[in-house]
Amino acid sequence: KVFLNREDIDFTNVNDIPATQEWELVEDIHGHMEYNTKYTKFQSVATITMYFPDSFSGDCTKIHFIGFKGEYTGLRRDDVVSAVYE
């Protein structure tokens, strides 16, 4: 499960909040598997929270690498407007 731009996710509420996207993961001991994302959901991302509820081979999940492909478009924030009302 992936949650975007949510800093309030923890183990107590991760199953109560709808994920931005979920994948059915397959075991890949060579690390060559790629999962596509929904492009429209992954725009204007500031934070990514990932949750792995299950493990393939026991009680422990070991993640060696997670990579993201895409194009960095720069940080865009709304300009502050200074207005004087008279």
Side-chain angles (χ1 to χ4, degrees), residues 49-74:
T49 303
M50 303 181 90
Y51 174 63
F52 300 90
D54 298 315
S55 179
F56 285 109
S57 59
D59 296 334
C60 182
T61 297
K62 187 183 290 187
I63 299 171
H64 293 278
F65 177 79
I66 295 176
F68 295 96
K69 291 183 179 181
E71 295 181 18
Y72 176 70
T73 57

Side-chain angles (χ1 to χ4, degrees), residues 40-55:
T40 56
K41 302 273 186 180
F42 282 77
Q43 297 180 31
S44 301
V45 175
T47 63
I48 297 174
T49 303
M50 303 181 90
Y51 174 63
F52 300 90
D54 298 315
S55 179

Side-chain angles (χ1 to χ4, degrees), residues 4 19-23 36-43:
L4 302 179
T20 304
Q21 184 166 349
E22 295 185 43
W23 296 272
N36 293 322
T37 60
K38 298 175 185 173
Y39 172 76
T40 56
K41 302 273 186 180
F42 282 77
Q43 297 180 31

